[in-house]
Amino acid sequence: MAVTLTPGETGLETLEALWRAGSAARLEPGARRAVEAAAEQVRAAARGDVPVYGVNTGFGKLASVRVSPEDTEELQRNLILSHCCGVGEALDEATTRLMMALKLLSLGRGASGVRWDICAILEEMLAAGVTPVIPAQGSVGASGDLAPLAHLAAVMIGEGEALFEDARMSGADALSKAGLSPVVLGPKEGLALINGTQFSTACALAALFDAGRMLRGATVTASLSTDAIMGSTQPLQPEIHALRGQPGQIDVATAMSGLMQGSEIRESHREDDTRVQDPYCIRCQPQVAGAALDLLRFAARTLEIEANAVTDNPLVTEAGIISGGNFHAEPVAFAADQIALALSEIGAIAQRRVALMVDPTLSHDLPPFLTPAPGLNSGFMIAEVTTAALMSENKHLANPCSTDSTPTSANQEDHVSMAAHGARRLLRMNANLSVILGVEALCAAQGIEARAPLATSPALQSVMGAIRECVPALGQDRYMAPDLEAAASLVRSDALAEAAGVAVGL
């Protein structure tokens, strides 16, 4: 069943469900009236003598060149073809479909001046499973994501390449096999399709959705690690966090406290423990992960607004057709940088917990590298090194993209956002973080089992069950790579959080 999109009011929960399920999407039928009214304004402008950017003029630095009404269709077609300059690997299919849905949302606001036919072909492509092949590189995130969106529009007019029924083919063949006909673009329609931030926003949203799972997974793995090293739950006391008042911190501490409730391991060392305080990676998890959660929530709000925004140019309003700069993706670039910071820090503190658990001088009597026969076996020695490598990689990837601008298009577009690759790098960061957290889960599970006959809490026992269904305990050394991938998959799928009943949300 197709997801109904209400322009200006579609929430992140709907968009995440669409992205994960690969659902079709259609606009709320009531949007048609505003769309058609704006299209009539554009048609009238195209027939007139007054120059209107992108309607009866050239583009960018060529905006002063007038174009006659009889050349309108060729103008828009040439725009699409000339802007299909994307390079690199293709964007994944799920995020491409999300991008198409976001373009629908933007056009559905009735300020872009396209005919309803343009919205309809997007809906039909989503329903039929015609997915344009979008090379992921080539956008600087200003004047819209021009190259990626041009590759989307190319398929709509029977050009470019698309995926259909698991095969890659020409856009014309994909439409034909799906029983669809290409559209002929009218005044401004090509410009409306390629102006906009939908590529950057789709990539950032996809990363945000997975970042929520990373945060929940880290809440679970941090709780496991705390019990594995026989850490204190005193730093989770609500009074501490209420005194600071940071909402993310309060939520993470509350969740961790609930997860550890009823742990025999915890109760065993409440008295006569010679340690006064745990290392920061244990004691300060609510403060660090909570701050990351607050950043993710801020980015989520920005991206929810952007998902519903009109970001092409010029825009059709009651006051006329007005040129502006809504295509500049600075809000998305900032949101992507914030997500990157959060992912990097969640991983940085988790990696320190992995290092803590494999170090016999710090782990409170756990066996070296968590192997029952150290020396003959290396246990989790190199798994910890892998987490260090991925942590360092994410630190480098977290450097801001939004501060890097360069002039383009003969200095007409002289400040750009770099939102596109700022959002794309987050896919790699999430993948890296899932491995760090997966290794932490394996180490913590090994550590908790070493505390037998003492048991962890009921909630964390459920998590242990989920882990052991996929990865058995480590006795003798074995080929480790599949174990790491299986554990990372538990994080990516939200299985750890589901087993624990953790519902910390964005």
Side-chain angles (χ1 to χ4, degrees), residues 4 30 39 54 79 86 100 201 228 258 273 279 290 294 306 333 336 378 380 391 412 456:
T4 299
L79 174 70
M100 295 166 71
T201 304
D273 193 330
D294 287 336
E306 193 74 6
S378 296
F380 286 91
M391 173 190 68
Q412 176 74 5
T456 189

Side-chain angles (χ1 to χ4, degrees), residues 55-409:
V55 176
N56 53 18
T57 74
F59 307 101
K61 198 74 169 180
L62 303 176
S64 59
V65 178
R66 289 294 299 274
V67 177
S68 63
E70 58 268 23
D71 291 329
T72 294
E73 290 180 6
E74 184 178 2
L75 171 71
Q76 298 299 317
R77 182 179 179 84
N78 286 347
L79 174 70
I80 299 305
L81 297 179
S82 67
H83 283 57
C84 285
C85 294
V87 298
E89 294 182 1
L91 186 65
D92 67 274
E93 194 168 354
T95 308
T96 300
R97 290 175 63 82
L98 177 59
M99 180 180 77
M100 295 166 71
L102 295 181
K103 179 54 76 174
L104 262 179
L105 271 176
S106 182
L107 298 178
R109 293 285 297 274
S112 298
V114 304
R115 295 163 296 155
W116 187 256
D117 290 351
I118 301 301
C119 300
I121 186 66
L122 279 169
E123 292 177 341
E124 291 165 356
M125 288 167 63
L126 283 167
V130 175
T131 306
V133 174
I134 311 294
Q137 293 173 277
S139 174
V140 295
S143 198
D145 291 315
L146 295 172
L149 290 171
H151 284 274
L152 163 61
V155 176
M156 298 168 65
I157 64 173
E159 298 286 349
E161 289 187 292
L163 298 173
F164 180 67
E165 295 182 343
D166 298 323
R168 184 167 175 166
M169 62 192 72
S170 71
D173 284 348
L175 291 178
S176 177
K177 289 177 183 293
L180 305 177
S181 299
V183 294
V184 176
L185 299 175
K188 191 189 175 293
E189 290 178 339
L191 186 61
L193 287 170
I194 69 170
N195 262 187
T197 65
Q198 287 77 35
F199 173 85
S200 297
T201 304
C203 291
L205 281 172
L208 176 75
F209 299 149
D210 274 349
R213 292 187 170 187
M214 297 302 115
L215 190 285
R216 288 190 290 276
T219 303
V220 175
T221 59
S223 301
L224 285 168
S225 297
T226 300
D227 232 14
I229 62 103
M230 302 187 85
S232 174
T233 54
Q234 285 296 318
L236 302 177
Q237 292 296 315
E239 293 82 0
I240 296 173
H241 307 287
L243 284 168
R244 193 174 205 181
Q246 297 288 356
Q249 177 179 326
I250 291 170
D251 290 348
V252 170
T254 301
M256 289 183 65
S257 181
L259 286 176
M260 298 190 68
Q261 192 70 35
S263 168
E264 293 177 2
I265 298 173
R266 173 63 186 117
E267 295 305 318
S268 72
H269 61 95
R270 283 192 183 274
E271 305 293 334
D272 301 322
D273 193 330
T274 58
R275 298 168 298 170
V276 178
Q277 295 185 124
D278 294 315
Y280 286 2
C281 64
I282 298 293
R283 189 170 13 133
C284 298
Q285 172 68 1
Q287 287 78 5
V288 175
L293 176 57
D294 287 336
L295 266 187
L296 293 176
R297 285 171 171 169
F298 186 87
R301 179 57 182 150
T302 297
L303 294 175
E304 184 173 58
I305 293 170
E306 193 74 6
N308 286 278
V310 184
T311 55
D312 63 285
N313 179 64
L315 296 180
V316 183
T317 72
E318 292 182 0
I321 301 175
I322 304 172
S323 287
N326 278 6
F327 48 68
H328 199 295
E330 197 82 350
V332 183
F334 281 170
D337 281 347
Q338 290 163 343
I339 295 169
L341 289 172
L343 294 176
S344 180
E345 283 299 275
I346 293 169
I349 195 168
Q351 198 283 327
R352 296 316 305 153
R353 290 191 294 269
V354 174
L356 182 73
M357 287 185 283
V358 300
D359 187 343
T361 64
L362 298 173
S363 64
H364 199 59
D365 301 325
L366 290 177
F369 301 104
L370 298 167
T371 175
L376 179 62
N377 295 284
S378 296
F380 286 91
M381 180 187 294
I382 303 305
E384 186 269 329
V385 173
T386 297
T387 66
L390 297 177
M391 173 190 68
S392 184
E393 185 175 313
N394 272 6
K395 287 178 180 179
H396 285 278
L397 289 170
N399 281 296
C401 294
S402 59
T403 55
D404 180 23
S405 178
T406 188
T408 63
S409 194

Side-chain angles (χ1 to χ4, degrees), residues 2-14:
V3 175
T4 299
L5 304 175
T6 303
E9 299 178 12
T10 298
L12 294 185
E13 185 176 342
T14 297

